[in-house]
Amino acid sequence: MSQFLSKHTAVRPTRRWFLVGAGVTTGGLAVGYRPVLAAPDIAQTTPAKVQANPFQTYVEITKENRIIIHSSQFEMGQGSYFGIATLVMEELDGDWAQVDVVGGYGNTAFYGNLAWGGAAQATGGSTSMGSSWERYRKAGAAARALLVAAAAQRWDVPAGEIKVASGVVSHASGMQARYGDLAEAAAGMPVPDDVPLKPRDKWAQIGSDSLKRYDSAGKTNGAQTYTIDLMMEGLQTAVMIHPPKFGAEIESFDATKAKALDGIVDVVQTPRGIAVVGRDTWTALKGRDLVEVTWNEEKAEERGTAEIMAEYNKAADDLGAATARDDGNTPAAFASAEKIIEGHYEFPYLVHASIEPLNAAARINEDGTIDVWGGHQMPDLYQAAAAQVGGTTPDKVRLHVMKTGGSFGRRAVLDADVIIEAVSTARALGRGKPVKVQWTRENDMRGGRYRPAYVHAVKAGLDKKGNVVALHDHIVGQSVLGGSTSAAMIKNGIDPTSVEGATNLPYAIPNLKVELTTTDVNIPVLWWRSVGSTHTAYAVETLIDELAAAANRDPVDFRLSMLGHHPRHAAVLKVAAEKAGWDKPLPEGRFRGVALHESLSTYVADVVEITLNDENGFKVDRVVCAVDCGTAINPDQIRAQMEGGIGFGLGAILQEELTLKGGVVDQENYDTYTPLRIEQMPRVEVHIVPSEEPPTGVGEPGVPPIGPAIANALRAATGKTIRKLPIIKNMSGMTP
């Protein structure tokens, strides 16, 4: 999600923030913390109420000697479960073989995202570690203290003589016990009002380069299950029919032929389409093809992307509808500038294209309660939405938080689309009949939510000494927040997700103006991995390179000259340049490019090397990445996320594009929408800049700099900047 939501705020709890209760859960120990940063009604939650639900805790130790960590953050491959477990295990001193991590939900007091003020539980904006940093360490430390207290009482020895290591509590006398042996007794001990945390120099888990993900085995041997793998007695499968054009509505449908097919259970209308329910996926798909639908397209979007982008380009040449930043006097600065560079950038719609298409399962139980299985990236919202559709209250909705094969923002949808489809279909089938709604890849591509298309009209000026004296960026595109429950976050006509990365430039430019014109297009859009920075970083960083060339300056030195007040930006740029050998010559036919960007309070610089060829025009050979994400909790995971973000961003910038003709999406699967192929992945080196700042996220910030770094390498090779994406499609005429 976006920087406006996820701008990291270091959470420094007060003494009274900590423990609100430790209660017995199936004979074990459950520990939880409650933040006072939440809304007043949440902050006044009583300990008795909080203890009532075992899912309102962070750390649970069972009699069977399992450590079950209830995560406030959703796991979709980015490693949040691993990071949170590391925070707990650092203080708890348990054995990793004991650990399970499950998705918590149902109490905002415990699970509200602190980076967003604690008012709602959600995962996004690379905030998982920042939100978890204090409270999960405190939970681990409190659990350890209770176990020690229980052992001291049982053995009649001072607590200070007891040692804890690798899941075993011991005393010099030879007495020892597993955590599970002490769990029930520990649950009855007085809860400490405050607990000290290990000093940085005593950390054994946090920052360990040798610590690997605890859940890797399950991912490689098939033991880990996703929603798509869900099986249970009586489970039916539903596939969806969505409108072929956005904004179209069902006028009528005839399911007679489909219902006559053996294995078809029912065909029901949902708020967004038609669910065809069968005994299995294949049968449901065959039945879907037999349903005859008449669509009312009076409100449908009829334009194609060619028409939309033409309108955007025209609007970009006019005055912006709103001003997001206005420093100095840009008209006067341009009037006195020695050199001016200007042009339009075009960015296409992009698909999230995660490996596991959207899905969810639901069952209305005989007592009226509801079970919902799925990738619950926004549990509070989905619990409320399921309750509304199911005709009950949120406390009657039980969520089963499944691990998910990718999201990139797609499962953080404010209208709870697939959740509503699953619950409404389950309600139509009747009580006691579970159903899984499984979107096909074509559903996901053609009826999903997209990264908005944008046009930037940019203009920048240099003085006689080669200094940047003015920069003007007029951004034209759709609002992710407009029309949603978050529309109130739009201030003075500015959706922060449209301009982030442009309004917070680190470069010392005395005259800077950023304008925004928000368009009215009936194509559903959503945050996409690193959101606004996916286009603003490209426009700004390629423009900076053009300015450096016009000033006859080295691109790295040119940037550093404008970063005097931003040492963390400068530090990652220096590390990337040094590790890439920026000052060393390259072999003939090889070219370098550089880009720098801060997104979601994480600083990333990339230096790339490319080779020109006749096959695709060029090949990306090497990427050197430097990242400052504050305290590095899991270095191996940080490197993995930077590598993944680079691959994700590289595919988007090179070749991904969603287009429409007459309001209908052209692409529908990986043959026509083409993420990066494995043979295109370059060699990547990631260097983590040491920091003692609180941790920030790495799930998204690896994406923005790779595109402009590639474009800048191409500029070094050809003298031309590609301003219309994707790159490969728009390389014609680019020769050295």
Side-chain angles (χ1 to χ4, degrees), residues 62-74:
T62 71
K63 291 189 295 184
E64 295 75 28
N65 206 38
R66 302 300 300 168
I67 299 172
I68 302 173
I69 298 168
H70 297 272
S71 173
S72 66
Q73 299 298 292
F74 174 52

Side-chain angles (χ1 to χ4, degrees), residues 506-534:
Y507 301 118
I509 301 174
N511 304 285
L512 173 64
K513 187 170 187 178
V514 179
E515 293 182 290
L516 175 66
T517 295
T518 297
T519 58
D520 183 13
V521 181
N522 198 4
I523 296 174
V525 294
L526 188 65
W527 23 64
W528 185 94
R529 195 174 184 179
S530 70
V531 203
S533 290
T534 62

Side-chain angles (χ1 to χ4, degrees), residues 479-487 490:
S479 167
V480 168
L481 297 176
S484 74
T485 56
S486 298
I490 297 175

Side-chain angles (χ1 to χ4, degrees), residues 10-13 17-18 33 87 114 129-139 197:
V11 181
R12 304 187 186 280
W17 179 26
F18 303 134
Y33 287 86
L87 300 179
L114 298 184
M129 294 304 100
S131 178
S132 307
W133 174 238
E134 291 278 1
R135 60 185 180 187
Y136 275 94
R137 286 189 295 150
K138 291 287 186 182
L197 297 176

Side-chain angles (χ1 to χ4, degrees), residues 168-296:
V168 176
V169 183
S170 62
H171 185 259
S173 64
M175 294 181 289
Q176 65 177 30
R178 304 179 310 161
Y179 287 0
D181 300 331
L182 296 167
E184 188 170 1
M189 302 302 296
V191 175
D193 184 56
D194 199 352
V195 283
L197 297 176
K198 290 181 183 178
R200 186 177 289 262
D201 61 359
K202 299 296 183 184
W203 289 347
Q205 309 283 345
I206 297 173
S208 170
D209 225 344
S210 60
L211 186 64
K212 308 300 180 184
R213 284 183 66 155
Y214 77 99
D215 57 353
S216 295
K219 290 189 173 188
T220 53
N221 63 21
Q224 180 168 302
T225 58
Y226 301 87
T227 309
I228 200 170
D229 303 314
L230 193 65
M231 298 179 68
M232 70 181 75
E233 185 177 353
L235 181 67
Q236 311 287 351
T237 299
V239 298
M240 296 303 303
I241 302 173
H242 291 137
K245 295 181 181 179
F246 299 111
E249 298 175 345
I250 298 170
E251 188 168 287
S252 64
F253 72 95
D254 184 351
T256 304
K257 294 178 182 178
K259 290 182 177 180
L261 184 66
D262 181 41
I264 293 297
V265 177
D266 205 350
V267 179
V268 301
Q269 185 170 341
T270 72
R272 287 195 62 223
I274 298 166
V276 181
V277 186
R279 63 189 173 201
D280 52 50
T281 305
W282 179 243
T283 303
L285 288 170
K286 289 195 294 183
R288 178 200 62 184
D289 295 340
L290 297 175
V291 178
E292 299 173 0
V293 187
T294 300
W295 301 99
N296 183 332

Side-chain angles (χ1 to χ4, degrees), residues 65 75 165 185 316 350 361 411 478 481 485 488 529 547 671:
N65 206 38
E75 176 61 65
L350 294 175
R411 290 181 181 268
Q478 283 176 259
L481 297 176
T485 56
R529 195 174 184 179
L547 291 167
D671 57 340

